Amino acid sequence: MTRMDGSAAAAGLVVELIEPLDPFVRSLLDRELDGMARVLSQWGHFRRPVRVATVHSQAELRAAAACPTDLQLHAIASLDGLLLLAPQAWSLPPASHAFEQVVLHELAHVLMFQRCAPEDATTAAYLPTWFREGMATVAASGAPRPALRRLLADHPALDTLPTATDRQMTDDPDACYTAAALAFQTWMERFGNRKLSALCQAMRNGHRFGPAHERACGETDEAFLRTWVQSVRQEGRTA
C-alpha cells in the first residue's frame, strides 16, 4: 500500500493506493492530487484516509457495489474508499481531463459521506440524489449556469428529478444531474456553509438526512424541493 498526501492545508486528503493500481490512475494522482485537494477544501475536511483501488471490468465494479444498480458505473465511492474502473475498460476511453473530473466528483462523494458519518460508522449514510449528486457535481464542475433552469422548466418529470432513482438517472442522465446541481446550488445560496455544517453535524450525531435537514434548516427537505420545483416552473413561464 502506498500513501499519498494532498496539500496539508487543503481538505486533509490522504489517499492510500491499493496495489496493483492502474498506471494511468497512479500517474493522474501523482500530478493532480494537490489540485484536487485544494478544490475540495472549500467543502470541508476528510475525516479518514481514502483507499483508492482499480478494477478492469464492469462486472468487477458491479460486484463491488453495495446493491444492484441500473447505472453505467465508472467508479464507486464509499465512506472510506474509491474504486475506479480503469480507463481502458470504459466503453469509450476518456481523455485525461474527463477522467480527472470523474475522480474529483467521486472524491467529493467520499468527503461528504465522511462529513455526515458518525465516528463509529462503517458504511455511508443515505443522502438523497439532489444533495449527493448535486454537491459532487458542483464541487467538481463548479456552479451550474442559472439559464439551465429554463431548460428544465417544462420537463415532464421535474417533480421527481431531484430524487431520481437509478433507473431515471440511466434513462435521462443529463436532466437528473442538471436538476441535482441546480437544486443543490439553490440550497447553498439560501442556507450556506453554516447550515451545511449543521446538517452534517446532525447526521454525525445519528440523525437521518430528513430529520437532520429539518433540525439544521428549520424546514423539511421536501418543503425545500417543492419550493425549488415551483420556482423553476415559474421561471419557465416568465422566460
Side-chain angles (χ1 to χ4, degrees):
M1 180 186 295
T2 304
R3 186 180 176 98
M4 300 174 65
D5 295 2
S7 174
L13 175 58
V14 175
V15 299
E16 296 175 345
L17 308 182
I18 307 302
E19 305 294 351
L21 191 76
D22 181 81
F24 186 95
V25 174
R26 185 187 300 276
S27 176
L28 175 72
L29 292 174
D30 281 340
R31 294 192 317 270
E32 305 296 344
L33 186 64
D34 281 355
M36 288 191 244
R38 285 191 293 272
V39 169
L40 293 171
S41 64
Q42 66 179 300
W43 298 100
H45 278 70
F46 288 86
R47 302 168 70 85
R48 309 180 185 188
V50 181
R51 296 193 298 269
V52 178
T54 48
V55 294
H56 294 273
S57 73
Q58 273 282 333
E60 290 178 273
L61 196 59
R62 289 186 178 280
C67 55
T69 178
D70 293 317
L71 293 173
Q72 181 73 14
L73 298 175
H74 292 128
I76 295 175
S78 63
L79 181 60
D80 53 11
L82 180 56
L83 185 62
L84 298 164
L85 181 65
Q88 62 268 26
W90 288 32
S91 55
L92 196 62
S96 180
H97 176 71
F99 192 74
E100 179 186 344
Q101 287 298 105
V102 169
V103 175
L104 185 56
H105 182 105
E106 298 300 327
L107 284 173
H109 282 319
V110 178
L111 172 59
M112 192 53 62
F113 290 157
Q114 292 189 4
R115 287 195 67 185
C116 294
E119 291 296 329
D120 60 350
T122 57
T123 58
Y126 169 78
L127 300 173
T129 302
W130 69 271
F131 189 88
R132 182 186 71 247
E133 296 302 337
M135 178 271 167
T137 300
V138 171
S141 304
R145 293 181 292 110
L148 292 173
R149 292 163 60 94
R150 295 178 182 175
L151 299 180
L152 288 181
D154 295 322
H155 195 288
L158 179 59
D159 285 323
T160 61
L161 288 180
T163 54
T165 63
D166 282 2
R167 172 49 60 187
Q168 282 178 283
M169 295 177 75
T170 299
D171 291 343
D172 197 358
D174 288 346
C176 291
Y177 280 94
T178 297
L182 287 167
F184 181 79
Q185 182 64 25
T186 298
W187 191 93
M188 286 298 300
E189 290 168 359
R190 179 175 172 189
F191 294 112
N193 283 318
R194 289 183 63 185
K195 297 296 187 184
L196 177 61
S197 294
L199 189 158
C200 293
Q201 182 63 59
M203 293 193 72
R204 284 201 302 278
N205 290 341
H207 296 284
R208 291 177 294 104
F209 180 85
H213 187 283
E214 191 164 7
R215 289 172 71 92
C217 304
E219 70 172 281
T220 65
D221 54 314
E222 292 92 345
F224 164 75
L225 290 177
R226 282 196 300 271
T227 300
W228 180 80
V229 168
Q230 290 166 2
S231 71
V232 172
R233 284 202 176 113
Q234 183 62 35
E235 188 167 332
R237 295 190 194 103
T238 58

